[in-house]
């Protein structure tokens, strides 16, 4: 008795190690089961085994948690579950399996399409590069016989569009613009992004028709940097309200940035007609946009309003008609000249 | 005899099987696979049992700690590590409520509506986060949202102050006071969020990340400054 006991005691280390090793094997076996679960193998028997294993694991977790209380009750519950029928378990397995498959497919689709890494190369810039490009956008190039390089970068244009939105908001607020449908912020964002994306797409389409060598990202980038002139002009003229100042800025600053865009486009297009079409459209749209931004959201000169209406001014739709005296006389003389010739 | 010996030796030979008893009328059942990873969060099970007050107080304390971090922006990783969006939600809702459009006429739109402010704040934060991720940042999406949201707090305080000042009157003096207060809070917000966010960027691109944050808080400050109650 004693000898087997002592031998048993001496051997207790080894069997414990054996059992420990066995446990390791079981853990390895357990992970092998889990690996199978992750595979796409849905053959009939392994499916049920997997599901059942999964189910049992969940049940065992619940048992572990509640092991302090009512152990007999737990056992009864466990037995009851077993007796509730395979239907309940099968249903759970099927639902579980469907969930796993669905989740896997959704995550695969998500990682494929919603990957922002697609846009990453367009944001790979340094601050010095951005600054250099901002300054370059105001300098027209001389060489139009050689295709000019356009950096396909989206950080600068995006920031410029947001800056334009901020400046527009400031302008709209100081001019007490009253928007009936929509909100101030929505209007500003819609105007600026609509211009940037819409005119870029339109110019890209025209460029495709006119056989110009430019890609969509380059067009977006070019037009975006062209908004730098708009930002400067609007920033200055929303705060200093002189019409002559605005016209000077419009011609000089707006003109310079338009000239640069036009020159770059011309350098990438062959054929006179095509060049004319592209550049004319771009110049017209760009300059007219600046005019629109100024006059649509400009602060009304109070003198004109007061003389016209008096202090009880009903709310206007958009404070837009701000015709300065100069263009008024121009209009009148033009009308008279036309009337005379007819 | 063998059974007695077996059970006697079971205590020393097979310690794990000491409490296994096989009786004749119950069929052998049991689990021979060891569930892997079932010792996952014991705390989950224990937080289910604690009283609701404890859970709420713990979350409130975390939110309060983050507010303190924003007030004194030292470089610490607590805000980043345990992000939560409760604080930004509360701040955003209170700011949007206070900025509720002051328009006497129901037909025009004198000021921003609740939905507008809400959308601006969250959309702006999402854009800034995407931008910083695209520029090569190491911060995660929700961490960045959390920081930007919490740093709206100085501007909410500025809004409160502006409303109180406007109660007193709406003249040039009040405008100057409001301008100073909003300007100071705007600078504080920008510095606080820069302190947390700029470190996750490569060092030569910090300016590229700071500019959109500057613009974002500028727009919010502008909305606060131009607010006129009717």
């Amino acid at each position: 008795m004693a000898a087997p006991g002592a031998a048993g005691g001496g051997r207790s280390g080894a069997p414990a190690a054996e059992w420990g090793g066995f446990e390791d094997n079981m853990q390895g076996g357990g992970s092998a089961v889990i690996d199978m679960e992750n595979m796409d193998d849905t053959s009939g028997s392994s499916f049920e085994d997997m599901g059942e294993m999964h189910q049992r694991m969940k049940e065992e977790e619940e048992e572990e948690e509640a092991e302090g209380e009512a152990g007999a009750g737990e056992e009864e519950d466990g037995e009851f579950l077993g007796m509730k029928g395979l239907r309940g378990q099968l249903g759970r397995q099927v639902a579980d399996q469907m969930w796993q498959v669905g989740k896997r497919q959704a995550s695969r689709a998500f990682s494929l399409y919603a990957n922002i890494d697609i846009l990453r190369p367009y944001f790979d810039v340094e601050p010095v590069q951005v600054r250099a490009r901002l300054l370059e956008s105001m300098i027209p190039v001389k060489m139009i016989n050689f295709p000019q390089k356009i950096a396909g970068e989206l950080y600068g244009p995006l920031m410029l569009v947001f800056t334009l939105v901020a400046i527009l908001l400031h302008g709209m607020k100081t001019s007490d613009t009253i928007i009936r449908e929509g909100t101030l912020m929505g209007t500003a964002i819609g105007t600026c992004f609509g211009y940037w994306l819409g005119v870029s797409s339109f110019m890209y389409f025209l460029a495709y028709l006119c056989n110009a060598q430019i890609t969509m990202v380059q067009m977006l980038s070019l037009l975006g940097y062209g908004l730098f002139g708009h930002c400067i002009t609007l920033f200055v003229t929303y705060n200093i309200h002189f019409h002559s100042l605005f016209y000077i800025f419009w011609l000089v600053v707006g003109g310079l940035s338009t000239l640069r865009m036009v020159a770059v486009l011309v350098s990438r297009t062959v054929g006179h007609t095509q060049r004319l079409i592209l550049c004319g459209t771009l110049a017209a749209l760009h300059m007219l946009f600046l005019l629109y931004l100024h006059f649509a959201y400009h602060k009304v000169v109070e003198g004109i309003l007061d003389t016209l209406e008096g202090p009880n001014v009903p709310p206007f739709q958009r404070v837009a008609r701000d015709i300065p005296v100069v263009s008024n006389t121009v209009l009148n003389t033009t009308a008279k000249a036309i009337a005379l010739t007819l | 005899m063998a059974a007695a010996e077996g059970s006697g030796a079971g205590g020393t030979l097979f310690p794990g099987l000491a409490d296994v008893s096989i009786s004749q009328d119950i069929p052998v059942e049991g689990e021979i696979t060891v569930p892997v990873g079932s010792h996952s969060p014991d705390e989950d099970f224990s937080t289910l049992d604690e009283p609701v007050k404890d859970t709420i107080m713990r979350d409130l304390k975390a939110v309060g700690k983050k507010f303190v971090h924003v007030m004194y922006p030292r470089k610490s990783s607590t805000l980043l590590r345990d992000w939560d969006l409760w604080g930004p939600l509360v701040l955003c809702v209170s700011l949007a409520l206070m900025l509720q459009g002051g328009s006497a006429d129901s037909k025009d739109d004198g000021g921003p509506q609740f939905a507008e402010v809400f959308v601006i704040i969250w959309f702006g934060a999402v854009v800034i986060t995407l931008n910083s991720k695209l520029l090569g940042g190491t911060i995660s999406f929700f961490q960045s949202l959390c920081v930007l949201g919490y740093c709206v707090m100085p501007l909410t305080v500025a809004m409160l102050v502006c409303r109180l000042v406007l109660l007193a009157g709406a003249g040039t003096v009040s405008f100057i006071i409001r301008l100073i207060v909003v300007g100071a809070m705007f600078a504080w917000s920008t510095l606080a969020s820069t302190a947390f966010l700029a470190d996750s960027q490569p060092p030569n691109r910090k300016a590229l990340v700071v500019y959109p944050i500057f613009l974002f808080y500028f727009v919010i400050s502008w909305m606060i400054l131009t607010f006129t109650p009717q």
Side-chain angles (χ1 to χ4, degrees):
Chain A
M1 263 342 151
R11 270 204 330 264
S12 70
E18 252 181 72
W19 280 115
F22 193 70
E23 262 186 26
D24 282 337
N25 280 345
M26 273 338 285
Q27 279 207 342
S31 65
V33 169
I34 289 180
D35 279 339
M36 270 169 61
E37 200 177 332
N38 282 341
M39 276 169 27
D40 264 345
D41 181 21
T42 51
S43 61
S45 56
S46 64
F47 170 81
E48 274 137 28
D49 285 343
M50 268 192 300
E52 195 169 317
M53 212 57 83
H54 203 63
Q55 186 61 33
R56 293 281 188 151
M57 269 162 42
K58 273 201 229 144
E59 281 172 20
E60 191 169 311
E61 282 181 27
E62 287 161 24
E63 282 178 25
E64 238 180 68
E65 169 204 354
E67 72 184 344
E69 327 146 78
E74 280 298 316
E75 260 185 11
E76 274 178 15
D77 279 351
E79 276 179 36
F80 199 68
L81 208 56
M83 286 199 306
K84 198 199 272 190
L86 292 172
R87 209 180 305 162
Q89 272 200 345
L90 259 180
R92 254 191 302 266
Q93 290 162 22
V94 169
D96 199 32
Q97 196 65 15
M98 299 273 296
W99 168 250
Q100 299 273 347
V101 169
K103 194 163 77 156
R104 230 172 304 144
Q105 281 179 347
S107 64
R108 241 185 270 147
F110 183 75
S111 64
L112 192 64
Y113 291 116
N115 204 359
I116 61 166
D117 283 333
I118 301 173
L119 289 176
R120 208 179 273 274
Y122 304 124
F123 280 76
D124 192 13
V125 286
E126 308 288 321
V128 279
Q129 281 178 320
V130 176
R131 201 178 54 218
R133 282 173 195 160
L134 280 176
L135 292 174
E136 264 174 20
S137 74
M138 305 295 294
I139 305 173
V141 289
K142 296 273 173 53
M143 264 202 314
I144 57 175
N145 296 317
F146 185 73
Q148 295 297 314
K149 192 164 101 61
I150 310 177
E153 171 225 334
L154 287 181
Y155 173 82
L158 201 64
M159 289 304 130
L160 277 171
V161 172
F162 279 123
T163 312
L164 192 62
V165 168
I167 296 177
L168 257 192
L169 276 175
H170 171 62
M172 282 201 281
K173 199 65 185 187
T174 54
S175 76
D176 295 327
T177 306
I178 296 167
I179 313 274
R180 282 201 188 272
E181 280 118 31
T183 58
L184 275 174
M185 194 75 196
T187 312
I189 290 186
T191 310
C192 298
F193 268 97
Y195 174 77
W196 184 47
L197 295 172
V199 172
S200 290
S201 320
F202 180 63
M203 292 307 304
Y204 177 66
F205 168 66
L206 271 187
Y208 170 73
L209 286 182
C210 299
N211 256 339
Q213 303 295 316
I214 194 166
T215 66
M216 184 66 188
V217 174
Q218 284 174 332
M219 193 64 225
L220 281 170
S221 179
L222 192 66
L223 197 67
Y225 274 113
L227 287 175
F228 181 54
H230 283 23
C231 286
I232 298 180
T233 312
L234 290 174
F235 183 65
V236 170
T237 55
Y238 276 157
N239 295 315
I240 309 175
H241 305 280
F242 284 126
H243 279 295
S244 44
L245 184 68
F246 169 69
Y247 281 123
I248 294 175
F249 263 86
W250 179 63
L251 277 175
V252 173
V253 177
L256 274 180
S257 70
T258 311
L259 268 178
R260 162 151 181 104
M261 289 199 301
V262 158
V264 169
L265 263 186
V266 158
S267 76
R268 289 170 162 251
T269 318
V270 185
H272 284 298
T273 321
Q274 289 94 326
R275 282 178 169 182
L276 201 61
I277 295 176
L278 267 183
C279 304
T281 323
L282 184 60
L285 284 173
H286 205 64
M287 301 293 272
L288 285 177
F289 184 56
L290 187 53
L291 266 184
Y292 168 72
L293 285 181
H294 179 80
F295 284 116
Y297 302 122
H298 181 59
K299 181 182 176 91
V300 175
V301 179
E302 274 110 4
I304 296 183
L305 258 195
D306 281 346
T307 55
L308 285 178
E309 303 277 350
N312 310 339
V313 180
F316 275 38
Q317 179 80 16
R318 282 273 189 101
V319 194
R321 305 287 173 238
D322 192 13
I323 305 174
V325 182
V326 177
S327 55
N328 214 356
T329 50
V330 167
L331 262 174
N332 287 342
T333 43
T334 319
K336 281 189 204 136
I338 293 178
L340 277 177
T341 51
L342 282 176
Chain B
M1 184 182 76
E5 216 182 313
S7 61
T12 49
L13 272 182
F14 309 121
L17 296 183
D19 48 351
V20 170
S21 68
I22 300 180
S23 134
Q24 295 304 320
D25 42 321
I26 299 181
V28 177
E29 288 180 6
E31 200 47 50
I32 59 171
T33 58
V34 177
V36 178
S38 71
H39 357 48
S40 58
D42 282 337
E43 10 194 276
D44 265 358
F45 295 117
S46 63
T47 61
L48 274 180
D49 291 335
E50 68 180 11
V52 176
K53 184 168 89 79
D54 279 354
T55 317
I56 295 182
M57 285 312 295
R58 191 176 54 234
D59 283 337
L60 277 179
K61 274 198 208 124
V63 171
K65 216 174 356 163
K66 291 203 187 68
F67 277 136
V68 170
H69 273 289
V70 172
M71 298 283 287
Y72 304 108
R74 266 185 314 274
K75 181 175 144 27
S76 92
S77 55
T78 318
L79 214 85
L80 293 181
R81 232 176 329 123
D82 317 313
W83 59 267
D84 73 271
L85 292 177
W86 282 115
L89 182 68
V90 165
L91 286 171
C92 181
V93 168
S94 54
L95 191 62
L97 278 176
M98 286 196 279
L99 271 176
Q100 186 83 55
S103 51
D105 200 328
S106 61
K107 271 188 258 150
D108 30 75
D109 227 352
Q113 303 302 311
F114 180 91
E116 198 183 356
V117 177
F118 207 83
V119 164
I120 288 173
I121 292 184
W122 287 105
F123 180 67
V126 165
V127 166
I128 295 178
T129 309
L130 283 178
N131 176 58
S132 77
K133 280 185 85 73
L134 284 169
L135 283 173
T138 55
I139 203 170
S140 95
F141 184 74
F142 285 110
Q143 281 172 346
S144 172
L145 275 188
C146 166
V147 168
L148 286 167
Y150 271 104
C151 290
V152 170
M153 194 191 68
L155 288 169
T156 313
V157 169
M159 183 69 212
L160 265 172
V161 171
C162 280
R163 276 217 101 130
L164 292 173
V165 167
L166 278 171
L167 279 179
T172 316
V173 177
S174 95
F175 178 74
I176 293 184
I177 297 177
R178 282 186 290 139
L179 181 66
I180 295 176
V181 167
V182 171
M185 293 297 166
F186 159 65
W188 196 345
S189 279
T190 312
L191 283 174
S193 60
T194 310
F196 288 114
L197 286 180
D199 282 332
S200 60
Q201 292 293 325
N204 51 339
R205 291 194 183 175
K206 289 210 172 89
L208 295 183
V209 179
V210 169
Y211 179 69
I213 300 179
F214 167 87
L215 212 54
F216 175 61
Y217 288 127
F218 178 78
V219 168
I220 300 182
S221 328
W222 169 86
M223 280 199 294
I224 294 176
L225 191 59
T226 58
F227 173 76
T228 48
Q230 301 290 333

